[in-house]
Amino acid sequence: MAYNITKLLSLVSLLLCLSFCTIGVVHARPPFACDPHNPITRGLKFCRVTVPIHVRVQDLIGRLTLQEKIRLLVNNAIAVPRLGIQGYEWWSEALHGVSNVGPGTRFGGAFPGATSFPQVITTAASFNESLWQEIGRVVSDEARAMYNGGMAGLTYWSPNVNIFRDPRWGRGQETPGEDPVLAAKYAARYVKGLQGDGAGNRLKVAACCKHYTAYDLDNWNGVNRFHFNARVSKQDLVDTYDVPFKACVVEGNVASVMCSYNQVNGKPTCADPDLLKGTIRGQWRLNGYIVSDCDSVGVLYDEQHYTRTPEEAAADAIKAGLDLDCGPFLAIHTEAAVRRGLVSQLEINWALANTMTVQMRLGMFDGEPSAHQYGNLGPRDVCTPAHQQLALEAARQGIVLLENRGRSLPLSTRRHRTVAVIGPNSDVTVTMIGNYAGVACGYTTPLQGIGRYTRTIHQAGCTDVHCNGNQLFGAAEAAARQADATVLVMGLDQSIEAEFVDRAGLLLPGHQQELVSRVARASRGPTILVLMSGGPIDVTFAKNDPRISAIIWVGYPGQAGGTAIADVLFGTTNPGGKLPMTWYPQNYVTHLPMTDMAMRADPARGYPGRTYRFYRGPVVFPFGLGLSYTTFAHNLAHGPTLVSVPLTSLKATANSTMLSKAVRVSHADCNALSPLDVHVDVKNTGSMDGTHTLLVFTSPPDGKWAASKQLVGFHKIHIAAGSEKRVRIAVHVCKHLSVVDRFGIRRIPLGEHKLQIGDLSHNVSLQTNLGEIKV
């Protein structure tokens, strides 16, 4: 009897396990195409993995009807059941973590969320290239896992690498900042992280650099992105706006580029063959596809009235080099365009070849996904402890210490046993992940983070960041009077700055400034101002208020933002971030239209110029500022002072060189030039271990064509207190000491160039084998 009861209990346990133990188990997605169990596809050449991809693509295109081809030109591509091909949604996003903004990705079931890293502007402030690539690698792990579970695609329309030109731009938060070199390095490294090592021309996921080009206005003063014609000089296009996109393609080998809504010099970017076929695919040799921003093709017809008929719009876009339409326009109007002779099937075939090649590089036509390189990734690979730790580390590295009077920070758990935590962003969650985010694994708010160190008294002060009244200020002041220290967490959120929401000005919204000043007056201990925002804020009042002890910018710090903020406040983390954009005073934008795309200052018309490269006026905080709890000293150990630039042909270059006092880069023998080695010794002269970023700027000889200084590189090093490290800086003459003239031609100015490395300055004089030309 006892045996039978034991047997019965075992059977019940087995049945319960069969019923409940499968909850959360993910069944492998069926193959997208070329299912080995499908008799339809077994003999098809495009399914044979041993055949070269270009041959497989040609075979597949040759089997499609015109109607099928046209329905594959859009993001929600149709299934082709007769060839065993499923439908596919191309639009997924992964700006700083797998996102559900696009219809290609959803959360739920075994995938309730994904690791939400800091917003890009925050991560850029780390100036840490290896961190950017590692974040990309983790995001693509989670993306592949969700694809395997049937919850996501493999084509991610990220990153956004536009230049943060105007501080009011609502989408500046999505970008790596205002400097083209910084944005370029971020772009290449994040793309490499997402796409994998590229072995065998294969892709882990397909990244996409957007929005090409000169796109940095959404909705300002009655002008929106759908109707904006960006008038851009050839000089600014080459040496500013296009720089990150070129790096994406040439250095990152990105699988896609997205064209933007706006026009550039009178032509919609998605219908401009000079930009698409000529530059992206021709000059830069894109190995991938070009996609429109969503409904851009419709916009160029419906809103911009660029063509007389919708068929002409469809034909112009395809003939310009567009391969995929995010939106229905090409699916609706391309067949009529073919019938009218406006576009040929051959041109459609070229577009399909570009998209299908990417799908094949992703392995989507290789049969059973679970049998391939990333087929083992699943729910256990999403929101892992290691991934969440990386999100925390990224937030720590992106925090920037802007002001620290009398070394008020770090706070002490012994001396500051009670901390008042005040402000509309003091206990937020979703605000910390910014836009183009997904569902985070979990959150630690600033209040919760600080509460792990000490006792807290919390008052919001304002009901939200708009802070339309001061009714709650009295309670906030009372809290500050009771505490040993006060932390004000102020700033912005997506209701103030976002896609299609550009700011009107740079000041704190509503009554936030009044709250800060009143609380600072009431506080019996140090008052710390923490700013959460994507764009810069004019906090001149706080900078000039001696009662505000320290100012910290945290961007949008991601799911672990509260922990990172607290770690910096209490000195567990020594801050090492630096501003990736200039913080301007409010009067900078008062009479400056966002629509003026010129980078260079023009005193004749009272135009101040854009970014640290061209603007010379007063700032609240400069590009590259970032303080530490320790101090660093620099010493130049070695650096050349005179360099001869070899020319490829004296006859071809003599006149050009003599007239412009500069050598065309195309006329210099760059391969014969070794990098200039500059060695700098960096010593931590303080009492705390710290991470230090050496920013390397160059300044050319005087000339109207160039910025007065330009970031050319950066080096991040960790140095223990009292220790010293030597940093080798490689300066490439053709790349780092060249400038772009008004015709868009890159030249090497001859004469004396200045290298600025931290607080050091070193001069290098360039001459040619024609002899030195004094400038």
Side-chain angles (χ1 to χ4, degrees):
M1 187 68 178
Y3 171 79
N4 289 336
I5 291 175
T6 303
K7 189 174 181 180
L8 179 63
L9 289 172
S10 298
L11 180 60
V12 170
S13 297
L14 177 62
L15 290 172
L16 287 171
C17 186
L18 289 173
S19 300
F20 298 108
C21 292
T22 55
I23 293 174
V25 172
V26 178
H27 299 283
R29 70 151 58 233
F32 167 74
C34 303
D35 187 342
H37 305 294
N38 185 347
I40 294 175
T41 63
R42 283 177 187 164
L44 299 177
K45 182 184 285 188
F46 68 78
C47 289
R48 298 178 196 160
V49 296
T50 56
V51 173
I53 284 180
H54 73 277
V55 176
R56 297 169 68 192
V57 168
Q58 289 173 357
D59 178 73
L60 173 54
I61 291 173
R63 297 174 187 272
L64 296 170
T65 66
L66 175 60
Q67 290 71 30
E68 289 168 339
K69 291 176 182 178
I70 289 169
R71 285 303 312 276
L72 296 173
L73 292 173
V74 291
N75 63 289
N76 56 339
I78 61 162
V80 187
R82 66 184 186 85
L83 296 178
I85 300 172
Q86 294 187 23
Y88 181 67
E89 176 55 67
W90 284 83
W91 180 7
S92 290
E93 301 278 356
L95 183 68
H96 52 107
V98 179
S99 167
N100 56 352
V101 169
T105 303
R106 64 188 189 277
F107 292 103
F111 298 96
T115 308
S116 191
F117 289 91
Q119 182 58 287
V120 175
I121 194 72
T122 314
T123 308
S126 71
F127 282 81
N128 188 340
E129 294 184 65
S130 61
L131 174 67
W132 303 334
Q133 187 161 339
E134 182 63 9
I135 291 173
R137 185 195 65 77
V138 165
V139 171
S140 61
D141 271 0
E142 298 195 351
R144 266 284 177 174
M146 291 183 67
Y147 172 78
N148 292 341
M151 303 294 278
L154 289 177
T155 46
Y156 289 85
W157 293 347
S158 304
N160 179 345
V161 299
N162 292 115
I163 297 297
F164 196 173
R165 170 190 61 97
D166 190 291
R168 294 164 290 190
W169 187 32
R171 300 188 75 177
Q173 60 180 295
E174 302 172 31
T175 76
E178 71 181 35
D179 182 79
V181 170
L182 173 61
K185 288 180 179 290
Y186 177 89
R189 293 300 285 265
Y190 188 64
V191 165
K192 287 178 180 178
L194 285 176
Q195 295 191 164
D197 60 14
N201 199 28
R202 290 293 177 141
L203 295 165
K204 187 179 181 185
V205 303
C208 173
C209 289
K210 62 185 185 183
H211 314 79
Y212 184 75
T213 183
Y215 166 63
D216 51 14
L217 177 151
D218 269 66
N219 188 15
W220 175 82
N221 201 30
V223 180
N224 67 43
R225 61 190 182 178
F226 305 126
H227 301 92
F228 179 49
N229 176 25
R231 294 180 175 86
V232 183
S233 70
K234 185 69 174 175
Q235 185 177 34
D236 286 341
L237 197 65
V238 172
D239 86 343
T240 299
Y241 296 110
D242 280 3
V243 173
F245 293 97
K246 183 177 181 180
C248 269
V249 177
V250 176
E251 298 170 33
N253 197 25
V254 75
S256 176
V257 173
M258 176 183 286
C259 51
S260 54
Y261 289 113
N262 57 288
Q263 296 185 353
V264 172
N265 298 329
K267 289 185 180 180
T269 64
C270 292
D272 188 339
D274 292 332
L275 293 179
L276 306 190
K277 277 187 175 177
T279 301
I280 298 175
R281 199 170 294 285
Q283 293 178 29
W284 301 343
R285 313 298 295 171
L286 172 69
N287 180 20
Y289 69 98
I290 299 174
V291 61
S292 72
D293 204 342
C294 295
D295 294 320
S296 284
V297 185
V299 164
L300 72 88
Y301 171 71
D302 294 319
E303 304 291 336
Q304 298 175 3
H305 309 297
Y306 185 69
T307 61
R308 290 184 301 106
T309 67
E311 294 80 13
E312 288 172 325
D316 281 2
I318 294 170
K319 289 163 74 173
L322 187 72
D323 302 310
L324 185 72
D325 177 18
C326 178
F329 198 89
L330 291 188
I332 297 169
H333 298 292
T334 302
E335 186 172 0
V338 173
R339 286 200 305 267
R340 289 181 55 189
L342 298 174
V343 66
S344 69
Q345 277 211 54
L346 180 62
E347 288 164 315
I348 293 171
N349 291 350
W350 277 114
L352 291 174
N354 291 326
T355 55
M356 289 175 176
T357 296
V358 167
Q359 288 181 310
M360 290 195 181
R361 291 171 63 198
L362 287 163
M364 293 174 65
F365 286 82
D366 292 353
E368 178 56 55
S370 62
H372 301 137
Q373 183 177 1
Y374 306 106
N376 62 325
L377 295 172
R380 67 185 181 280
D381 301 295
V382 180
C383 287
T384 68
H387 292 182
Q388 296 193 62
Q389 183 63 32
L390 184 66
L392 171 57
E393 183 58 29
R396 287 169 173 160
Q397 291 194 28
I399 291 175
V400 183
L401 178 61
L402 298 171
E403 190 85 48
N404 193 17
R405 287 191 178 91
R407 299 196 174 184
S408 301
L409 290 179
L411 299 177
S412 164
T413 55
R414 179 178 54 82
R415 289 182 288 108
H416 306 110
R417 296 183 179 181
T418 302
V419 173
V421 184
I422 297 168
N425 281 336
S426 59
D427 197 27
V428 292
T429 53
V430 175
T431 296
M432 294 194 300
I433 62 176
N435 70 350
Y436 276 81
V439 177
C441 311
Y443 294 101
T444 303
T445 73
L447 177 64
Q448 291 168 338
I450 294 168
R452 293 173 179 174
Y453 281 91
T454 189
R455 190 174 79 86
T456 59
I457 307 171
H458 180 238
Q459 289 292 332
C462 306
T463 55
D464 56 36
V465 295
H466 292 271
C467 204
N468 290 323
N470 59 9
Q471 299 89 339
L472 304 177
F473 287 10
E477 290 171 297
R481 291 190 191 100
Q482 300 172 49
D484 301 314
T486 298
V487 175
L488 285 148
V489 190
M490 313 300 287
L492 314 176
D493 65 13
Q494 300 306 303
S495 68
I496 301 290
E497 55 175 357
E499 185 169 12
F500 217 65
V501 182
D502 295 329
R503 286 192 285 163
L506 304 181
L507 301 175
L508 283 168
H511 292 269
Q512 283 196 42
Q513 179 173 327
E514 180 188 348
L515 174 62
V516 172
S517 296
R518 283 176 57 172
V519 167
R521 283 196 298 269
S523 180
R524 78 175 193 212
T527 300
I528 314 304
L529 176 59
V530 176
L531 296 168
M532 194 177 291
S533 71
I537 303 170
D538 181 356
V539 288
T540 302
F541 79 97
K543 186 179 174 183
N544 294 336
D545 187 342
R547 291 163 298 196
I548 296 174
S549 308
I551 304 173
I552 293 176
W553 176 70
V554 300
Y556 293 121
Q559 65 178 48
T563 301
I565 291 168
D567 288 347
V568 168
L569 290 174
F570 284 90
T572 303
T573 295
N574 188 351
K578 292 186 179 292
L579 288 181
M581 73 295 203
T582 303
W583 286 40
Y584 303 90
Q586 167 64 22
N587 62 14
Y588 170 77
V589 299
T590 302
H591 302 293
L592 179 63
M594 277 190 75
T595 51
D596 196 322
M597 301 294 290
M599 295 300 300
R600 288 156 172 79
D602 185 355
R605 61 186 182 97
Y607 186 69
R610 303 279 188 174
T611 77
Y612 80 92
R613 298 164 64 218
F614 302 105
Y615 171 65
R616 297 293 157 263
V619 300
V620 181
F621 297 114
F623 173 89
L625 175 68
L627 306 178
S628 172
Y629 295 152
T630 189
T631 53
F632 299 94
H634 311 105
N635 180 58
L636 182 66
H638 170 73
T641 57
L642 180 64
V643 176
S644 180
V645 180
L647 304 179
T648 54
S649 167
L650 294 180
K651 182 178 179 182
T653 61
N655 290 338
S656 170
T657 298
M658 295 300 291
L659 289 173
S660 66
K661 299 177 183 177
V663 178
R664 286 195 185 200
V665 168
S666 59
H667 292 164
D669 190 354
C670 297
N671 293 329
L673 266 172
S674 298
L676 312 184
D677 270 348
V678 179
H679 296 171
V680 176
D681 293 327
V682 183
K683 185 173 183 178
N684 183 338
T685 55
S687 58
M688 188 175 186
D689 296 353
T691 299
H692 183 54
T693 301
L694 270 181
L695 301 183
V696 183
F697 296 92
T698 62
S699 297
D702 291 339
K704 293 182 180 180
W705 54 38
S708 63
K709 73 173 184 178
Q710 167 67 59
L711 182 74
V712 296
F714 43 87
H715 299 262
K716 196 174 188 75
I717 47 174
H718 185 81
I719 310 177
S723 297
E724 184 175 86
K725 288 186 178 179
R726 176 163 292 185
V727 179
R728 175 185 175 268
I729 298 164
V731 178
H732 298 267
V733 171
C734 293
K735 183 177 181 180
H736 297 144
L737 300 184
S738 61
V739 299
V740 176
D741 69 14
R742 62 191 179 91
F743 303 106
I745 298 170
R746 188 163 286 280
R747 298 176 181 271
I748 305 168
L750 301 173
E752 196 165 78
H753 292 248
K754 183 172 77 172
L755 300 182
Q756 181 183 326
I757 308 163
D759 54 8
L760 296 176
S761 181
H762 176 67
N763 294 334
V764 179
S765 186
L766 298 186
Q767 65 179 30
T768 72
N769 47 2
L770 292 174
E772 185 173 12
I773 299 173
K774 298 294 182 183
V775 191

